Amino acid sequence: MLTRIDHIGIACFDLDKTVDFYRATYGFEVFHSEVNEEQGVREAMLKINETSDGGASYLQLLEPTREDSAVGKWLAKNGEGVHHIAFGTEDVDGDAADIREKGVRVLYDEPRTGSMGSRITFLHPKDCHGVLTELVTSRADH
């Protein structure tokens, strides 16, 4: 069962400059940053608030580390902006299977490792009214 909006992913050309904008404009601070080599991105998670299920809601700023990454290709085509929305779930495997049974394409056969050690998968945007959608099970200590 989906429990919250976990994060909104925003693709950017310059992560540091984009972090500075969100800090100066809204007062958001970086909660976590990392490089995800598998996905070819450098990212910063800006915590917005805590949620009733023990999770949190974030903005995820994504800068590609290589042009052939999914985010790099997306930026080349679309420019900076909202890349995806992610919903939190206690069971990414079960929810992905349930959603797949409803005819929505799930992009990974098995969930992958996402930010802060989470388990993630994506749903095809053509099956979600043009929105790339991510399902996230957070690591227990985040």
Side-chain angles (χ1 to χ4, degrees), residues 4 54 101:
R4 69 184 181 287
E101 287 179 15

Side-chain angles (χ1 to χ4, degrees), residues 14-80:
D14 184 328
L15 184 65
D16 296 326
K17 187 176 178 180
T18 306
V19 165
D20 288 344
F21 168 81
Y22 280 95
R23 180 180 290 125
T25 305
Y26 306 113
F28 298 152
E29 293 295 334
V30 174
F31 176 78
H32 176 83
S33 62
E34 68 181 81
V35 174
N36 185 319
E37 295 293 343
E38 179 184 5
Q39 294 184 21
V41 295
R42 187 168 76 105
E43 66 179 76
M45 296 294 272
L46 310 178
K47 187 183 234 179
I48 307 305
N49 67 317
E50 303 289 332
T51 62
S52 62
D53 67 354
S57 292
Y58 302 91
L59 287 180
Q60 179 186 45
L61 307 179
L62 300 159
E63 175 190 55
T65 58
R66 56 182 197 270
E67 291 179 14
D68 68 339
S69 70
V71 172
K73 291 175 186 176
W74 190 91
L75 267 172
K77 180 179 177 184
N78 300 292
E80 292 184 306

